[in-house]
Amino acid sequence: MQTLYVELGERRYPIFIGSDLDPNALLEPYIHGRQVMIVSNETVAPLYLARYVAAIEALGKTVATCILPDGEKYKNIEHLNLIFDALLASGFNRDCTVLALGGGVIGDMAGFASACFQRGVYFIQVPTTLLSQVDSSVGGKTGINHPLGKNMIGAFQQPQVVLADMSQLKTLPARELSAGLAEVIKYALLGDTDFLTWLEQHIDDLVQGDEAALAEAVYRSCAHKARIVANDEKEQGERALLNLGHTFGHAIESYLGYGEWLHGEAVATGMVMAADLSQRMGWISAEDLARTKNIIQRANLPIVCPQIPLDDFLAYMAHDKKVLNGQLRLVLMQAVGQAIITKTFDVELMKQAILANQEQA
Ligand code: NAD
Ligand code: GLY
């Protein structure tokens, strides 16, 4: 097992990464009160819930559960309320802990519920998708969707501890594993060429679900994210770099309708567009762009999106959370392994980069 810390002063917390982790021993120091509400979903609960209930009951705690339906479409206020219903019906107090057992949807919802219930109770993340292990469980962003925008209602709520168990990825569908790899590749492209080289050597093992390779990829990804979050918890600056590929990706997701493409798939093609624009700006070479596309393709991720009318694409990009004072800012690559956030880019070249990476008629 490897351990990393997110250094946030008194709110510092560990990320435990390994296979067949022992929840009883690892969670014990981080459950402060007597009551634990495990939030999971109808897919994950039959696989892993019993293990966590038994481990936490063995610590002498009272455990209640709230099992939500599975899917992004339930990441809304109505289903958030079911968590509050369960907490209140079980008579939970201000020293209770909410534990998220699931992917990013469950983590975001349970975390937000824990931030709101009685103005804030303890929170623990047990991420069970690769995407949630390398991204959403670390850094404290939590929230739900609104009919007018994704992740628009939320709070920063850091967990007490994150437990990332590679053995729980065995049951993850291959397409979801690849979607998580998009975020892993993102860390390499935005800040670490050594990691990119390592990924090029190990991508086949990762795609096949090799647990040792996955643990190393999760460790390196979380180390990056932990460092950035420690420097810029509330995204006043460098945390925005974590959105490499996301502005283009959100446009793809929004146009196709959420659920059609997985988030990681849209981010993958978004990163190709960002790299393509970076090349057109003269920042990275044609070889660097080819290298970017190659690692994404080898992770079984798409490098082109379906045809999307340019006006629609640009309109969706304009809704991005990084728009400041009406001006779009993009995360681009000044070099492979060195991303920047900039509002200084050529809009015509950006349009060319979008059109060049769509399916041609
Ligand atoms: P998800 O939570 O929908 O999980 C994907 C699918 O895998 C679901 O069907 C789920 O039930 C299933 N699943 C989960 N673990 C499994 C396992 N071990 N075995 C078998 N099936 C399993 O999707 P996700 O990709 O984990 O997360 C996406 C969500 O995360 C989005 O809502 C996104 O907005 C959010 N997100 C948040 C942050 C953040 O910083 N808070 C960052 C990135 C993404
Ligand atoms: N997923 C981007 C962030 O946590 O900032």
Side-chain angles (χ1 to χ4, degrees):
M1 183 184 87
Q2 303 193 80
T3 307
L4 271 169
Y5 284 87
V6 183
E7 298 292 353
L8 288 170
E10 287 176 357
R11 292 173 299 126
R12 170 183 205 255
Y13 59 92
I15 308 169
F16 297 123
I17 301 162
S19 281
D20 298 311
L21 300 178
D22 175 5
N24 181 283
L26 293 175
L27 295 180
E28 205 230 333
Y30 303 98
I31 300 176
H32 304 294
R34 275 182 316 103
Q35 301 164 318
V36 180
M37 175 66 65
I38 304 183
V39 180
S40 191
N41 74 19
E42 287 167 349
T43 304
V44 177
L47 297 168
Y48 304 113
L49 181 65
R51 182 160 180 249
Y52 287 88
V53 171
I56 296 168
E57 281 182 347
L59 297 171
K61 310 286 179 183
T62 304
V63 180
T65 60
C66 174
I67 309 304
L68 300 173
D70 182 3
E72 180 78 30
K73 67 172 182 282
Y74 302 110
K75 190 174 152 182
N76 57 24
I77 193 92
E78 290 78 20
H79 290 82
L80 181 74
N81 209 31
L82 297 180
I83 307 178
F84 298 134
D85 291 347
L87 286 162
L88 289 165
S90 306
F92 271 37
N93 308 128
R94 290 183 70 183
D95 64 350
C96 74
T97 295
V98 176
L99 183 150
L101 176 66
V105 169
I106 288 297
D108 280 11
M109 292 183 75
F112 187 37
S114 77
C116 301
F117 184 63
Q118 305 212 27
R119 300 194 184 86
V121 296
Y122 297 110
F123 176 43
I124 289 178
Q125 285 270 21
V126 182
T128 63
T129 62
L130 181 59
L131 184 134
S132 57
Q133 292 181 346
V134 297
D135 193 356
S136 60
S137 66
V138 174
K141 283 188 184 175
T142 70
I144 56 169
N145 300 329
H146 184 277
L148 297 181
K150 188 168 150 60
N151 291 331
M152 280 295 158
I153 317 292
F156 283 97
Q157 167 78 332
Q158 300 293 345
Q160 300 294 303
V161 56
V162 181
L163 206 145
D165 193 327
M166 300 308 115
S167 46
Q168 291 171 352
L169 298 179
K170 274 197 200 90
T171 49
L172 194 65
R175 192 176 164 199
E176 295 286 352
L177 191 77
S178 286
L181 287 174
E183 301 286 357
V184 171
I185 292 167
K186 174 190 81 178
Y187 292 110
L189 293 178
L190 76 84
D192 190 345
T193 37
D194 287 347
F195 187 26
L196 184 57
T197 305
W198 183 90
L199 284 175
E200 286 166 341
Q201 288 158 356
H202 293 90
I203 193 72
D204 299 337
D205 299 332
L206 292 166
V207 167
Q208 281 156 25
D210 179 276
E211 286 184 28
L214 284 167
E216 183 63 18
V218 172
Y219 181 85
R220 289 191 183 216
S221 300
C222 288
H224 258 282
K225 183 152 186 186
R227 189 187 52 72
I228 289 178
V229 168
N231 287 339
D232 179 25
E233 183 184 5
K234 299 279 169 74
E235 198 166 312
Q236 305 299 307
E238 78 169 301
R239 186 163 179 172
L241 295 177
L242 296 174
N243 290 312
L244 177 65
H246 284 58
T247 305
F248 297 103
H250 282 151
I252 298 170
E253 272 182 294
S254 312
Y255 180 81
L256 297 180
Y258 285 100
E260 193 57 37
W261 268 30
L262 299 178
H263 174 71
E265 293 169 338
V267 166
T269 304
M271 289 192 294
V272 171
M273 289 175 177
D276 188 318
L277 173 55
S278 304
Q279 197 237 320
R280 287 171 201 268
M281 300 282 292
W283 293 342
I284 67 169
S285 65
E287 290 74 30
D288 292 335
L289 175 59
R291 193 178 176 194
T292 302
K293 287 185 182 177
N294 183 47
I295 189 72
I296 289 172
Q297 256 183 321
R298 287 182 63 202
N300 291 335
L301 289 160
I303 56 167
V304 293
C305 68
Q307 270 199 335
I308 299 175
L310 190 57
D311 286 348
D312 290 327
F313 204 107
L314 298 176
Y316 281 117
M317 284 180 82
H319 288 145
D320 193 85
K321 282 207 260 322
K322 284 185 300 306
V323 172
L324 271 189
N325 302 323
Q327 231 181 351
L328 183 62
R329 296 179 306 149
L330 288 177
V331 183
L332 298 177
M333 288 158 67
Q334 258 189 336
V336 169
Q338 197 188 325
I340 50 156
I341 175 145
T342 179
K343 50 185 191 308
T344 314
F345 54 86
D346 184 320
V347 175
E348 285 312 310
L349 294 182
M350 180 183 81
K351 291 178 184 170
Q352 289 174 21
I354 294 168
L355 292 171
N357 295 289
Q358 300 196 351
E359 278 164 9
Q360 306 302 316

